[in-house]
PDB file of all heavy atoms in Angstrom:
ATOM      1  N   SER U1356       0.799  -1.175  -0.030  1.00 87.00           N
ATOM      2  CA  SER U1356       0.048   0.005   0.086  1.00 87.00           C
ATOM      3  C   SER U1356       0.824   1.270  -0.002  1.00 87.00           C
ATOM      4  O   SER U1356       0.442   2.272  -0.566  1.00 87.00           O
ATOM      5  CB  SER U1356      -0.885   0.006   1.220  1.00 87.00           C
ATOM      6  OG  SER U1356      -1.793  -1.129   1.196  1.00 87.00           O
ATOM      7  N   ALA U1357       2.020   1.212   0.664  1.00 84.00           N
ATOM      8  CA  ALA U1357       2.914   2.334   0.688  1.00 84.00           C
ATOM      9  C   ALA U1357       3.443   2.715  -0.720  1.00 84.00           C
ATOM     10  O   ALA U1357       3.856   3.882  -0.973  1.00 84.00           O
ATOM     11  CB  ALA U1357       4.113   2.066   1.558  1.00 84.00           C
ATOM     12  N   LYS U1358       3.320   1.734  -1.677  1.00 89.00           N
ATOM     13  CA  LYS U1358       3.783   2.007  -3.037  1.00 89.00           C
ATOM     14  C   LYS U1358       2.746   2.841  -3.846  1.00 89.00           C
ATOM     15  O   LYS U1358       2.981   3.298  -4.881  1.00 89.00           O
ATOM     16  CB  LYS U1358       3.985   0.629  -3.735  1.00 89.00           C
ATOM     17  CG  LYS U1358       5.031  -0.218  -3.119  1.00 89.00           C
ATOM     18  CD  LYS U1358       5.261  -1.509  -3.775  1.00 89.00           C
ATOM     19  CE  LYS U1358       6.338  -2.403  -3.222  1.00 89.00           C
ATOM     20  NZ  LYS U1358       6.399  -3.622  -3.864  1.00 89.00           N
ATOM     21  N   ALA U1359       1.484   2.940  -3.181  1.00 91.00           N
ATOM     22  CA  ALA U1359       0.463   3.559  -3.847  1.00 91.00           C
ATOM     23  C   ALA U1359      -0.042   4.857  -3.205  1.00 91.00           C
ATOM     24  O   ALA U1359      -0.648   5.766  -3.799  1.00 91.00           O
ATOM     25  CB  ALA U1359      -0.732   2.768  -4.185  1.00 91.00           C
ATOM     26  N   ILE U1360       0.170   4.906  -1.888  1.00 87.00           N
ATOM     27  CA  ILE U1360      -0.397   5.948  -0.961  1.00 87.00           C
ATOM     28  C   ILE U1360       0.774   6.567  -0.196  1.00 87.00           C
ATOM     29  O   ILE U1360       1.348   5.933   0.554  1.00 87.00           O
ATOM     30  CB  ILE U1360      -1.451   5.463  -0.002  1.00 87.00           C
ATOM     31  CG1 ILE U1360      -2.615   4.834  -0.783  1.00 87.00           C
ATOM     32  CG2 ILE U1360      -1.932   6.571   0.883  1.00 87.00           C
ATOM     33  CD1 ILE U1360      -3.667   4.290   0.257  1.00 87.00           C
ATOM     34  N   PRO U1361       1.171   7.839  -0.524  1.00 82.00           N
ATOM     35  CA  PRO U1361       2.272   8.563   0.156  1.00 82.00           C
ATOM     36  C   PRO U1361       2.016   8.676   1.565  1.00 82.00           C
ATOM     37  O   PRO U1361       0.998   9.226   2.090  1.00 82.00           O
ATOM     38  CB  PRO U1361       2.473   9.873  -0.649  1.00 82.00           C
ATOM     39  CG  PRO U1361       1.009  10.178  -1.182  1.00 82.00           C
ATOM     40  CD  PRO U1361       0.433   8.753  -1.417  1.00 82.00           C
ATOM     41  N   MET U1362       3.100   8.453   2.320  1.00 78.00           N
ATOM     42  CA  MET U1362       3.032   8.639   3.862  1.00 78.00           C
ATOM     43  C   MET U1362       4.363   9.204   4.294  1.00 78.00           C
ATOM     44  O   MET U1362       5.273   8.431   4.545  1.00 78.00           O
ATOM     45  CB  MET U1362       2.708   7.374   4.533  1.00 78.00           C
ATOM     46  CG  MET U1362       1.286   6.811   4.346  1.00 78.00           C
ATOM     47  SD  MET U1362       0.049   7.903   5.241  1.00 78.00           S
ATOM     48  CE  MET U1362       0.268   7.461   6.937  1.00 78.00           C
ATOM     49  N   GLU U1363       4.627  10.466   4.293  1.00 79.00           N
ATOM     50  CA  GLU U1363       5.872  11.045   4.521  1.00 79.00           C
ATOM     51  C   GLU U1363       6.154  10.901   6.130  1.00 79.00           C
ATOM     52  O   GLU U1363       5.283  11.219   6.925  1.00 79.00           O
ATOM     53  CB  GLU U1363       5.843  12.561   4.118  1.00 79.00           C
ATOM     54  CG  GLU U1363       5.732  12.868   2.683  1.00 79.00           C
ATOM     55  CD  GLU U1363       5.711  14.234   2.463  1.00 79.00           C
ATOM     56  OE1 GLU U1363       5.996  15.210   3.435  1.00 79.00           O
ATOM     57  OE2 GLU U1363       5.581  14.655   1.232  1.00 79.00           O
ATOM     58  N   GLY U1364       7.394  10.589   6.412  1.00 76.00           N
ATOM     59  CA  GLY U1364       7.863  10.443   7.708  1.00 76.00           C
ATOM     60  C   GLY U1364       7.419   9.129   8.426  1.00 76.00           C
ATOM     61  O   GLY U1364       7.586   8.990   9.593  1.00 76.00           O
ATOM     62  N   LEU U1365       6.783   8.205   7.597  1.00 82.00           N
ATOM     63  CA  LEU U1365       6.284   6.978   8.257  1.00 82.00           C
ATOM     64  C   LEU U1365       6.618   5.705   7.288  1.00 82.00           C
ATOM     65  O   LEU U1365       6.193   5.819   6.222  1.00 82.00           O
ATOM     66  CB  LEU U1365       4.823   6.982   8.533  1.00 82.00           C
ATOM     67  CG  LEU U1365       4.231   5.842   9.130  1.00 82.00           C
ATOM     68  CD1 LEU U1365       4.783   5.543  10.546  1.00 82.00           C
ATOM     69  CD2 LEU U1365       2.735   6.062   9.262  1.00 82.00           C
ATOM     70  N   ASP U1366       7.308   4.837   7.765  1.00 86.00           N
ATOM     71  CA  ASP U1366       7.484   3.605   7.089  1.00 86.00           C
ATOM     72  C   ASP U1366       6.686   2.440   7.728  1.00 86.00           C
ATOM     73  O   ASP U1366       6.731   2.298   9.044  1.00 86.00           O
ATOM     74  CB  ASP U1366       8.997   3.168   7.159  1.00 86.00           C
ATOM     75  CG  ASP U1366       9.833   4.205   6.315  1.00 86.00           C
ATOM     76  OD1 ASP U1366       9.312   4.749   5.374  1.00 86.00           O
ATOM     77  OD2 ASP U1366      10.946   4.480   6.850  1.00 86.00           O
ATOM     78  N   TYR U1367       6.024   1.622   6.994  1.00 87.00           N
ATOM     79  CA  TYR U1367       5.136   0.548   7.656  1.00 87.00           C
ATOM     80  C   TYR U1367       5.158  -0.585   6.733  1.00 87.00           C
ATOM     81  O   TYR U1367       5.148  -0.607   5.488  1.00 87.00           O
ATOM     82  CB  TYR U1367       3.704   1.042   7.805  1.00 87.00           C
ATOM     83  CG  TYR U1367       3.095   1.816   6.772  1.00 87.00           C
ATOM     84  CD1 TYR U1367       2.356   1.097   5.772  1.00 87.00           C
ATOM     85  CD2 TYR U1367       3.213   3.153   6.623  1.00 87.00           C
ATOM     86  CE1 TYR U1367       1.745   1.745   4.668  1.00 87.00           C
ATOM     87  CE2 TYR U1367       2.594   3.916   5.523  1.00 87.00           C
ATOM     88  CZ  TYR U1367       1.907   3.198   4.674  1.00 87.00           C
ATOM     89  OH  TYR U1367       1.224   3.717   3.611  1.00 87.00           O
ATOM     90  N   THR U1368       5.107  -1.726   7.469  1.00 92.00           N
ATOM     91  CA  THR U1368       4.961  -3.069   6.813  1.00 92.00           C
ATOM     92  C   THR U1368       3.924  -3.972   7.648  1.00 92.00           C
ATOM     93  O   THR U1368       3.614  -3.610   8.716  1.00 92.00           O
ATOM     94  CB  THR U1368       6.248  -3.812   6.642  1.00 92.00           C
ATOM     95  OG1 THR U1368       6.798  -3.937   7.939  1.00 92.00           O
ATOM     96  CG2 THR U1368       7.177  -3.044   5.814  1.00 92.00           C
ATOM     97  N   GLY U1369       3.541  -5.114   7.074  1.00 95.00           N
ATOM     98  CA  GLY U1369       2.656  -6.000   7.757  1.00 95.00           C
ATOM     99  C   GLY U1369       1.181  -6.062   7.045  1.00 95.00           C
ATOM    100  O   GLY U1369       1.186  -5.440   6.073  1.00 95.00           O
ATOM    101  N   ASN U1370       0.454  -6.827   7.749  1.00 95.00           N
ATOM    102  CA  ASN U1370      -0.992  -7.086   7.119  1.00 95.00           C
ATOM    103  C   ASN U1370      -2.075  -6.701   8.013  1.00 95.00           C
ATOM    104  O   ASN U1370      -1.908  -6.968   9.260  1.00 95.00           O
ATOM    105  CB  ASN U1370      -0.970  -8.514   6.689  1.00 95.00           C
ATOM    106  CG  ASN U1370      -0.156  -8.893   5.542  1.00 95.00           C
ATOM    107  OD1 ASN U1370       0.970  -9.219   5.577  1.00 95.00           O
ATOM    108  ND2 ASN U1370      -0.873  -8.971   4.272  1.00 95.00           N
ATOM    109  N   VAL U1371      -3.158  -6.281   7.594  1.00 95.00           N
ATOM    110  CA  VAL U1371      -4.396  -5.892   8.254  1.00 95.00           C
ATOM    111  C   VAL U1371      -5.509  -6.579   7.597  1.00 95.00           C
ATOM    112  O   VAL U1371      -5.712  -6.364   6.420  1.00 95.00           O
ATOM    113  CB  VAL U1371      -4.601  -4.314   8.339  1.00 95.00           C
ATOM    114  CG1 VAL U1371      -5.785  -4.066   9.131  1.00 95.00           C
ATOM    115  CG2 VAL U1371      -3.487  -3.622   8.904  1.00 95.00           C
ATOM    116  N   LYS U1372      -6.105  -7.388   8.356  1.00 96.00           N
ATOM    117  CA  LYS U1372      -7.317  -8.154   7.861  1.00 96.00           C
ATOM    118  C   LYS U1372      -8.503  -7.708   8.696  1.00 96.00           C
ATOM    119  O   LYS U1372      -8.547  -7.778   9.816  1.00 96.00           O
ATOM    120  CB  LYS U1372      -7.076  -9.616   7.913  1.00 96.00           C
ATOM    121  CG  LYS U1372      -5.949 -10.214   6.970  1.00 96.00           C
ATOM    122  CD  LYS U1372      -5.878 -11.714   7.027  1.00 96.00           C
ATOM    123  CE  LYS U1372      -4.790 -12.222   6.255  1.00 96.00           C
ATOM    124  NZ  LYS U1372      -4.773 -13.698   6.166  1.00 96.00           N
ATOM    125  N   ALA U1373      -9.609  -7.435   7.958  1.00 96.00           N
ATOM    126  CA  ALA U1373     -10.924  -7.013   8.735  1.00 96.00           C
ATOM    127  C   ALA U1373     -12.030  -7.558   7.898  1.00 96.00           C
ATOM    128  O   ALA U1373     -12.076  -7.696   6.689  1.00 96.00           O
ATOM    129  CB  ALA U1373     -10.978  -5.473   8.727  1.00 96.00           C
ATOM    130  N   ASP U1374     -12.974  -8.043   8.656  1.00 97.00           N
ATOM    131  CA  ASP U1374     -14.261  -8.536   8.187  1.00 97.00           C
ATOM    132  C   ASP U1374     -15.357  -8.178   9.131  1.00 97.00           C
ATOM    133  O   ASP U1374     -15.494  -8.912  10.182  1.00 97.00           O
ATOM    134  CB  ASP U1374     -14.184 -10.073   7.935  1.00 97.00           C
ATOM    135  CG  ASP U1374     -15.430 -10.671   7.059  1.00 97.00           C
ATOM    136  OD1 ASP U1374     -16.396  -9.818   6.941  1.00 97.00           O
ATOM    137  OD2 ASP U1374     -15.394 -11.787   6.699  1.00 97.00           O
ATOM    138  N   LEU U1375     -16.054  -7.073   9.065  1.00 96.00           N
ATOM    139  CA  LEU U1375     -16.860  -6.534  10.040  1.00 96.00           C
ATOM    140  C   LEU U1375     -18.326  -6.278   9.419  1.00 96.00           C
ATOM    141  O   LEU U1375     -18.371  -5.728   8.322  1.00 96.00           O
ATOM    142  CB  LEU U1375     -16.327  -5.245  10.562  1.00 96.00           C
ATOM    143  CG  LEU U1375     -15.021  -5.331  11.166  1.00 96.00           C
ATOM    144  CD1 LEU U1375     -14.341  -3.908  11.630  1.00 96.00           C
ATOM    145  CD2 LEU U1375     -14.934  -6.157  12.398  1.00 96.00           C
ATOM    146  N   ASN U1376     -19.322  -6.606  10.195  1.00 96.00           N
ATOM    147  CA  ASN U1376     -20.671  -6.451   9.767  1.00 96.00           C
ATOM    148  C   ASN U1376     -21.375  -5.801  10.928  1.00 96.00           C
ATOM    149  O   ASN U1376     -21.489  -6.301  12.010  1.00 96.00           O
ATOM    150  CB  ASN U1376     -21.217  -7.698   9.364  1.00 96.00           C
ATOM    151  CG  ASN U1376     -22.380  -7.604   8.324  1.00 96.00           C
ATOM    152  OD1 ASN U1376     -23.072  -6.531   8.334  1.00 96.00           O
ATOM    153  ND2 ASN U1376     -22.523  -8.521   7.454  1.00 96.00           N
ATOM    154  N   PHE U1377     -22.195  -4.673  10.716  1.00 94.00           N
ATOM    155  CA  PHE U1377     -22.866  -3.984  11.834  1.00 94.00           C
ATOM    156  C   PHE U1377     -24.166  -3.514  11.354  1.00 94.00           C
ATOM    157  O   PHE U1377     -24.332  -2.922  10.141  1.00 94.00           O
ATOM    158  CB  PHE U1377     -21.923  -2.810  12.170  1.00 94.00           C
ATOM    159  CG  PHE U1377     -22.499  -1.861  13.191  1.00 94.00           C
ATOM    160  CD1 PHE U1377     -22.714  -2.273  14.541  1.00 94.00           C
ATOM    161  CD2 PHE U1377     -23.121  -0.708  12.879  1.00 94.00           C
ATOM    162  CE1 PHE U1377     -23.199  -1.506  15.529  1.00 94.00           C
ATOM    163  CE2 PHE U1377     -23.819   0.146  13.799  1.00 94.00           C
ATOM    164  CZ  PHE U1377     -23.698  -0.275  15.133  1.00 94.00           C
ATOM    165  N   ALA U1378     -25.119  -3.591  12.183  1.00 95.00           N
ATOM    166  CA  ALA U1378     -26.614  -3.107  11.923  1.00 95.00           C
ATOM    167  C   ALA U1378     -27.265  -2.812  13.265  1.00 95.00           C
ATOM    168  O   ALA U1378     -27.287  -3.773  13.994  1.00 95.00           O
ATOM    169  CB  ALA U1378     -27.307  -4.068  11.046  1.00 95.00           C
ATOM    170  N   ALA U1379     -27.642  -1.551  13.372  1.00 92.00           N
ATOM    171  CA  ALA U1379     -28.321  -1.373  14.698  1.00 92.00           C
ATOM    172  C   ALA U1379     -28.994   0.032  14.590  1.00 92.00           C
ATOM    173  O   ALA U1379     -28.684   0.932  13.869  1.00 92.00           O
ATOM    174  CB  ALA U1379     -27.340  -1.241  15.808  1.00 92.00           C
ATOM    175  N   LYS U1380     -30.003   0.214  15.506  1.00 94.00           N
ATOM    176  CA  LYS U1380     -30.540   1.600  15.842  1.00 94.00           C
ATOM    177  C   LYS U1380     -29.986   2.036  17.148  1.00 94.00           C
ATOM    178  O   LYS U1380     -29.760   1.299  18.038  1.00 94.00           O
ATOM    179  CB  LYS U1380     -32.212   1.473  15.934  1.00 94.00           C
ATOM    180  CG  LYS U1380     -32.848   1.139  14.748  1.00 94.00           C
ATOM    181  CD  LYS U1380     -34.406   1.153  14.976  1.00 94.00           C
ATOM    182  CE  LYS U1380     -35.126   0.869  13.678  1.00 94.00           C
ATOM    183  NZ  LYS U1380     -36.581   0.817  14.078  1.00 94.00           N
ATOM    184  N   MET U1381     -29.809   3.411  17.161  1.00 90.00           N
ATOM    185  CA  MET U1381     -29.250   3.967  18.344  1.00 90.00           C
ATOM    186  C   MET U1381     -30.154   3.679  19.507  1.00 90.00           C
ATOM    187  O   MET U1381     -29.735   3.454  20.765  1.00 90.00           O
ATOM    188  CB  MET U1381     -29.129   5.492  18.187  1.00 90.00           C
ATOM    189  CG  MET U1381     -28.448   6.130  19.425  1.00 90.00           C
ATOM    190  SD  MET U1381     -26.899   5.475  19.884  1.00 90.00           S
ATOM    191  CE  MET U1381     -25.747   6.140  18.608  1.00 90.00           C
ATOM    192  N   SER U1382     -31.520   3.708  19.340  1.00 93.00           N
ATOM    193  CA  SER U1382     -32.486   3.418  20.419  1.00 93.00           C
ATOM    194  C   SER U1382     -32.258   1.991  21.099  1.00 93.00           C
ATOM    195  O   SER U1382     -32.355   1.913  22.271  1.00 93.00           O
ATOM    196  CB  SER U1382     -33.880   3.528  19.966  1.00 93.00           C
ATOM    197  OG  SER U1382     -34.162   2.739  18.834  1.00 93.00           O
ATOM    198  N   ASP U1383     -31.998   1.025  20.242  1.00 92.00           N
ATOM    199  CA  ASP U1383     -31.652  -0.350  20.737  1.00 92.00           C
ATOM    200  C   ASP U1383     -30.417  -0.386  21.614  1.00 92.00           C
ATOM    201  O   ASP U1383     -30.234  -1.053  22.620  1.00 92.00           O
ATOM    202  CB  ASP U1383     -31.570  -1.236  19.485  1.00 92.00           C
ATOM    203  CG  ASP U1383     -32.960  -1.594  18.951  1.00 92.00           C
ATOM    204  OD1 ASP U1383     -33.931  -1.519  19.739  1.00 92.00           O
ATOM    205  OD2 ASP U1383     -33.031  -1.918  17.890  1.00 92.00           O
ATOM    206  N   ILE U1384     -29.290   0.318  21.151  1.00 86.00           N
ATOM    207  CA  ILE U1384     -28.097   0.458  21.922  1.00 86.00           C
ATOM    208  C   ILE U1384     -28.346   1.188  23.204  1.00 86.00           C
ATOM    209  O   ILE U1384     -27.922   0.635  24.339  1.00 86.00           O
ATOM    210  CB  ILE U1384     -27.076   1.260  21.062  1.00 86.00           C
ATOM    211  CG1 ILE U1384     -26.748   0.374  19.931  1.00 86.00           C
ATOM    212  CG2 ILE U1384     -25.852   1.353  21.925  1.00 86.00           C
ATOM    213  CD1 ILE U1384     -25.766   1.033  18.948  1.00 86.00           C
ATOM    214  N   ASP U1385     -29.220   2.277  23.154  1.00 86.00           N
ATOM    215  CA  ASP U1385     -29.490   2.948  24.377  1.00 86.00           C
ATOM    216  C   ASP U1385     -30.199   2.039  25.511  1.00 86.00           C
ATOM    217  O   ASP U1385     -29.977   2.149  26.635  1.00 86.00           O
ATOM    218  CB  ASP U1385     -30.326   4.120  24.091  1.00 86.00           C
ATOM    219  CG  ASP U1385     -29.572   5.278  23.485  1.00 86.00           C
ATOM    220  OD1 ASP U1385     -28.319   5.249  23.604  1.00 86.00           O
ATOM    221  OD2 ASP U1385     -30.093   6.117  22.791  1.00 86.00           O
ATOM    222  N   LYS U1386     -31.018   1.204  24.965  1.00 89.00           N
ATOM    223  CA  LYS U1386     -31.827   0.318  25.901  1.00 89.00           C
ATOM    224  C   LYS U1386     -31.111  -0.980  26.180  1.00 89.00           C
ATOM    225  O   LYS U1386     -31.663  -1.924  26.880  1.00 89.00           O
ATOM    226  CB  LYS U1386     -33.267  -0.001  25.181  1.00 89.00           C
ATOM    227  CG  LYS U1386     -34.065   1.193  25.070  1.00 89.00           C
ATOM    228  CD  LYS U1386     -35.432   0.831  24.453  1.00 89.00           C
ATOM    229  CE  LYS U1386     -35.341   0.341  22.980  1.00 89.00           C
ATOM    230  NZ  LYS U1386     -36.712   0.117  22.322  1.00 89.00           N
TER     231      LYS U1386
END
């Protein structure tokens, strides 16, 4: 990704994997 998105002053390597699914009403969270 660093080869396509510039990030001055920061070098990074490694892998990030995410698989997230979310559905809710705020009222249900409040209750």
Side-chain angles (χ1 to χ4, degrees):
S1356 300
K1358 299 175 183 178
I1360 302 175
M1362 292 289 287
E1363 294 183 5
L1365 180 63
D1366 298 320
Y1367 47 86
T1368 59
N1370 289 79
V1371 178
K1372 295 183 178 181
D1374 190 350
L1375 304 171
N1376 208 328
F1377 175 76
K1380 289 183 178 181
M1381 182 59 74
S1382 57
D1383 286 329
I1384 294 173
D1385 289 337
K1386 294 182 293 187

